[in-house]
Every structure is written in structure tokens, then in C-alpha cells.
Amino acid sequence: MQQPSIPKGTRDFSPEEMAKRNYIFGTIKRVFQLFGFRQIETPAIENLSTLMGKYGEEGDKLLFKILNSGDFAGAVDTAEWNAQNSNKITAKIAEKGLRYDLTVPFARYVVQHRDQITFPFKRYQIQPVWRADRPQKGRYREFYQCDADVVGSDSLLNEVELLQVVDEVFRRLQIAVTIKLNNRKILSGIAQIIGAEENIIDITVAIDKLDKIGLDNVNAELATKGITQAAIDQLQPILLLQGDNAEKLAQLKMALAASPIGLQGISELETIFEWLKPLSIQNKVELDLTLARGLNYYTGAIIEVKANDVQIGSISGGGRYDNLTGVFGLENVSGVGVSFGADRIYDVLLQLNAFPETVSENTAVLFLNFGLQEQAIALTLLNTIRQTGINAEIYPEATKIKKQMNYANQKNIPWVVILGENEINQGVVTLKNMQSGEQKVVSHEQLIEYIV
RNA sequence: GUGGCUGUAGCUCAGUUGGUUAGAGUAGUGGAUUGUGGUUCCAUUGGUCGUGGGUUCAAAUCCCAUCUGCCACCCCA
């Protein structure tokens, strides 16, 4: 018989892994709630018309598409099959797809339910998303995003609060991170100044690689994209900015003096840094002009978070998008949000060995099973213990004690209650601490006190 | 989507220039110990060597395809 398997880039989660994952989800959820976000869910599948065209050309390729039910092949005639144009055929045989992120479905949700929503609307959402990417370490085809977004408010206070959310989540998870900040308007300003506005995507993609491939290679790539040498020369002082955030902004202000949009981006960042100052942010927040982000719906602030001590892609990201609801027919509703990548955070915590000991949602007490008579008494005791909120279970079979003890040991259960003939005759139980190996004879009433 | 590496018991890995019946540790199960786990000792289950083809008298070993995991690019959480 062939071993069963699961699709590439997907995973099963064991009880131990789920306990750790729930620790991450719980932490993020708590912080979201602290800042006034409320939870929603949306379906795993969306209409392809909702998803297509929101993530750029690459994104469309990475969408999982779902075949229409019924005789989907009948929708395509022989000539179309023979033309072998995948895009055209796909459009006829698939009208649904798996969600690629949570932001676009959220924008759809806002537009669809606008009459029930009070703006500004703060929502959070923790659900899996799917991408038909080629898997690698920290890159899966099914993974969870934890998003918090505010729509219907232009205030930069939202950006500031979201940065606080990010800082607080990673403070609680005890992961040291660097929060990188940029503004799409600055990138537009740069393109404007060097007279290459049509190439803004090429420019941002190229300078995004600066710390990876170096200045010379970036310049070479810009040249192959048809950027003039004069423009590339103009770009150099901007790429080579030095100093702290304030110094960089000051230099940028001079460089982009002729670009109103660039100046606006700078002023937005200045405001954010200014408001952030008294808030005792623990992690480093730095201006990073090379931060471009591929998602092309961002229009203002761009945020990306990197773990300081673990080599992995970004573990969190986000930004402001002014027109996302516009494509669904609701204009002038600006949104801003952040997204946490739970699966990568899991990998980081594992590598840092930073999961707390107490994350287990484990059984606290195991009652050994000595047979029918003992079992009856154990069950009533179990009941009262569970009423106090303590996780407790009884071994379901009256097998050898050795085997039952081993079960407790394997499951890391800290307390074992021994309740056999001897104990019943004396009206007590024997309580064993599995870590120290100590045993105590206690009355039924004392039992709970000892466990707590 | 492009290029590269990889795959032997549940897990970690041996396996000679292709040569009889593929090994070890660990985990599992049973026992030493019919009211005591994590240490010890004994016994024992478990593999059509990722899958499918091919070359050969003979393939875990060589060749091809395919799947998986990983790495780089692309992109991103």
C-alpha cells in the first residue's frame, strides 16, 4: 500500500505544535483586542474577479484556482483548447479561487457591508491563506496570517498605533525585531525627480535589492530596465543616505525639494516618528528606503518587520492603501493595516528556543484505573476537579500500572492520582508528583489544594 | 515559473568496485517487576531502499522520468 501524503507546502500540526501555535495566536489576538480591533472571518474561497489583478502579475500566477463544478470542459470550444492559451481557458473554467491574503477579501467585505459598518472600522482576522509558490524554509503554500486593519480614517495616528501593536506583539513573544518603515510617496517622489515616473515599479523592485546584491548590481538592473544614465546618476545620493532617521529625512527633503508628493511622504514619516517618540517603543524603528514591497496596492506608509537573530524572510508587514475599496466601488475610504506571519513566527520562536514552558494545554492530573469499583469513585472526584477548571483525565483501561504511569510520563502529566483498594478502604488517595517522584497520601478534600 | 542538491525502519543514520537473506542507535511492543513512569537488563514487531520505468545473469548502488524536502532566483508572511 502506498503511504498517504499531503500536498507540497502544506503541513499537519500535532497536539504539541498546536499548543505552541495557539500561544502565538493568543498573544496576537490579545494585543489586537487591547487596541480596539474586533474579529471577523471571510470564506476561504472568493470569486476570482475579487482576487485577480490586486497582487500584480506575479500574484495572479500564484493564485490557486478552483475548477468550476459540473462539465467545465464544455465551456471551452475546440479552437480555444487548441490555441493553448492558459489564461483564456482558465477564465472560462474557473471562477473561484483560494484567498491569497486577508487584505483584499477585507476590502471586499467592507464594500459589501458598508451599510452595517460604522467607520472608522477596526477589524482583525486570523485565517489561512494560500499561494501556489514553490515552498522553501519559512515559505509554505498554506499559511496563517493575522491581520489588523483600520479603514475609513486618514489619520497617521493609525499608523502609529499599528506600530505599537507590532512592537507589543513581539515584546510579548520575546522576539527582538527591527521594524522597517518607508513611504510609497517617497518612492514616487524619487521616480518623479529623476524623470522616470512610468518605471516606478522597476525602480522600487531594483532598489529593494540594494542590501542583497549591492549598489553596482542595482544600477546595472536599472539600466537594463531602460532607466537613463542621467537618472541613475541622480539616484545615487538617495541610495547612499547615511545617518539616523532624522538625518536621512533631512537629506531626503533637500533631494526631493522639487517633488510635492515626495515631500508629503517625508512629512508623513516625520509625523509618525514624532508621535512615536514618547511611546517607549522597545524595538528599533528605522527608515529604510530600500523597502518597497511587491504588493502594488500600497500608497502611503510601508512597514516590514525582520527578526534580528534569525535568518528568515519578513515575519510581519503592512502599510496604507488608499484605493483598495475603490476597485470594488467604494471610493475615498483609506485603509491601513499590518499582517503577522504566524508560521514564520513559529519557526523563529523554535529557533530561538523562546516558547515558554507553560504553553502546554496539557492534562494536569491523571487518575490511574484500577478496575470498576475504583473507577466509580475516581469519576466523581474527577468531576469535582474539572469543575474547578483543572484539566484532568482517567486512564480508560484497567491495564498494568506501569503502562498507565508511562502514559502519564509520555504525555508530560505532572500529577498522578493513585486510587486503589488500599486508598478506598482508608477514604484517601495517593497523589504522586511525576517530576519529583514524591507521593503523598491526602484526603479527597485536600486533593485539589495540592494540585493548585 | 527558472536553475541546483536531496530521499534507506516512526525518527537519526550505516550499507565496500553493482554480488546471496539490507544493518545500527533510538522510539514502539512484550517480559524481568500481577500497586508505580522517566535509569538498567532480556526478547521482539517493523523496510517491494520515495514512486514508476530502463540497463544487467544480478540494482539501495548505474541511467531516465516523476513526486517530496531543501537552496538560489523570482516573489513574499
Side-chain angles (χ1 to χ4, degrees):
Chain A
M1 197 177 40
Q2 186 143 14
Q3 278 284 330
S5 65
I6 53 176
K8 186 201 292 207
T10 65
R11 293 144 305 149
D12 289 324
F13 300 112
S14 69
E16 291 74 24
E17 289 167 323
M18 277 315 298
K20 293 191 174 105
R21 287 172 67 82
N22 284 335
Y23 161 71
I24 296 170
F25 292 134
T27 304
I28 293 172
K29 212 170 177 171
R30 184 73 200 106
V31 175
F32 284 170
Q33 288 166 348
L34 270 179
F35 280 80
F37 293 88
R38 299 171 72 208
Q39 188 168 22
I40 68 162
E41 289 203 355
T42 63
I45 55 178
E46 292 276 350
N47 293 325
L48 277 179
S49 57
T50 302
L51 301 174
M52 297 284 280
K54 311 300 187 299
Y55 309 107
E57 220 173 295
E58 282 298 320
D60 284 353
K61 280 190 215 155
L62 298 180
L63 281 170
F64 276 109
K65 298 164 189 89
I66 298 171
L67 279 179
N68 292 343
S69 342
D71 182 19
F72 60 85
V76 185
D77 61 38
T78 316
E80 286 169 319
W81 280 121
N82 291 343
Q84 299 197 330
N85 183 327
S86 299
N87 285 339
K88 279 201 172 146
I89 295 173
T90 302
K92 295 213 163 181
I93 64 177
E95 57 187 21
K96 297 177 291 298
L98 293 174
R99 73 164 99 79
Y100 179 91
D101 71 357
L102 300 179
T103 307
V104 167
F106 173 54
R108 188 225 84 218
Y109 176 98
V110 167
V111 175
Q112 203 175 321
H113 301 281
R114 66 185 113 172
D115 52 338
Q116 301 151 34
I117 291 173
T118 307
F119 293 99
F121 182 46
K122 302 175 78 169
R123 84 85 173 77
Y124 77 89
Q125 192 170 351
I126 299 178
Q127 289 190 274
V129 303
W130 294 268
R131 295 182 189 179
D133 214 338
R134 184 172 290 199
Q136 281 178 32
K137 198 182 213 78
R139 169 186 286 188
Y140 308 99
R141 299 183 113 178
E142 177 186 67
F143 61 96
Y144 274 72
Q145 288 194 330
C146 311
D147 276 33
D149 288 79
V150 186
V151 294
S153 165
D154 292 328
S155 169
L156 292 172
L157 196 57
N158 299 303
E159 274 84 340
V160 170
E161 286 216 310
L162 286 167
L163 287 168
Q164 278 185 280
V165 165
V166 169
D167 185 63
E168 181 65 16
V169 163
F170 290 113
R171 192 186 67 75
R172 291 187 180 209
L173 293 174
Q174 302 196 49
I175 300 175
V177 298
T178 300
I179 303 170
K180 297 183 173 186
L181 211 54
N182 195 6
N183 194 302
R184 200 65 162 235
K185 289 175 183 140
I186 294 180
L187 295 172
S188 299
I190 292 171
Q192 200 171 53
I193 287 294
I194 67 172
E197 275 170 275
E198 293 90 51
N199 299 87
I200 178 159
I201 290 175
D202 290 332
I203 293 171
T204 55
V205 166
I207 66 177
D208 187 29
K209 296 178 190 165
L210 185 59
D211 55 345
K212 214 180 218 173
I213 62 175
L215 184 62
D216 292 344
N217 291 323
V218 168
N219 288 336
E221 179 164 333
L222 286 169
T224 65
K225 296 291 182 184
I227 314 289
T228 63
Q229 190 57 46
I232 293 175
D233 290 342
Q234 259 183 301
L235 201 56
Q236 299 310 301
I238 295 169
L239 291 179
L240 294 171
L241 278 189
Q242 295 290 328
D244 63 22
N245 294 332
E247 287 165 359
K248 282 185 190 167
L249 283 172
Q251 292 170 58
L252 260 184
K253 216 184 267 183
M254 315 238 290
L256 300 184
S259 163
I261 186 146
L263 289 177
Q264 196 190 336
I266 293 168
S267 131
E268 286 181 15
L269 276 183
E270 281 176 338
T271 305
I272 292 172
F273 281 122
E274 184 64 28
W275 290 359
L276 223 42
K277 244 183 220 162
L279 296 177
S280 68
I281 295 287
Q282 179 172 304
N283 290 291
K284 193 174 169 198
V285 182
E286 66 175 28
L287 170 63
D288 184 354
L289 280 187
T290 71
L291 173 58
R293 294 188 61 80
L295 292 178
N296 55 7
Y297 49 65
Y298 289 121
T299 52
I302 315 172
I303 302 165
E304 189 168 287
V305 180
K306 289 259 195 182
N308 290 348
D309 307 314
V310 177
Q311 199 70 34
I312 199 165
S314 56
I315 54 178
S316 186
R320 180 171 285 275
Y321 42 91
D322 282 328
N323 294 316
L324 196 48
T325 59
V327 300
F328 298 118
L330 181 61
E331 303 288 345
N332 300 320
V333 178
S334 180
V336 58
V338 290
S339 175
F340 294 86
D343 304 80
R344 284 186 179 174
I345 291 173
Y346 182 96
D347 291 345
V348 168
L349 283 173
L350 209 59
Q351 210 161 319
L352 293 176
N353 205 6
F355 280 109
E357 288 290 328
T358 52
V359 297
S360 79
E361 302 153 347
N362 209 351
T363 305
V365 193
L366 175 75
F367 278 70
L368 298 192
N369 192 325
F370 283 83
L372 288 178
Q373 290 191 345
E374 294 88 339
Q375 181 179 305
I377 297 173
L379 280 177
T380 56
L381 271 174
L382 253 184
N383 205 30
T384 52
I385 287 180
R386 285 177 178 148
Q387 305 262 305
T388 67
I390 296 168
N391 302 345
E393 63 179 305
I394 179 167
Y395 198 88
E397 324 243 354
T399 55
K400 278 196 278 285
I401 302 309
K402 176 186 163 118
K403 191 171 181 178
Q404 302 191 36
M405 293 294 277
N406 191 44
Y407 175 83
N409 199 47
Q410 292 294 331
K411 264 186 97 172
N412 248 315
I413 298 174
W415 298 101
V416 167
V417 171
I418 300 165
L419 178 55
E421 212 183 325
N422 301 342
E423 284 83 2
I424 289 179
N425 290 339
Q426 297 168 44
V428 294
V429 300
T430 301
L431 180 64
K432 174 162 182 150
N433 181 318
M434 291 297 280
Q435 259 137 32
S436 63
E438 282 174 54
Q439 292 191 185
K440 268 204 175 84
V441 176
V442 300
S443 72
H444 292 185
E445 293 72 32
Q446 286 174 302
L447 183 55
I448 289 172
E449 296 169 31
Y450 273 98
I451 297 165
V452 177

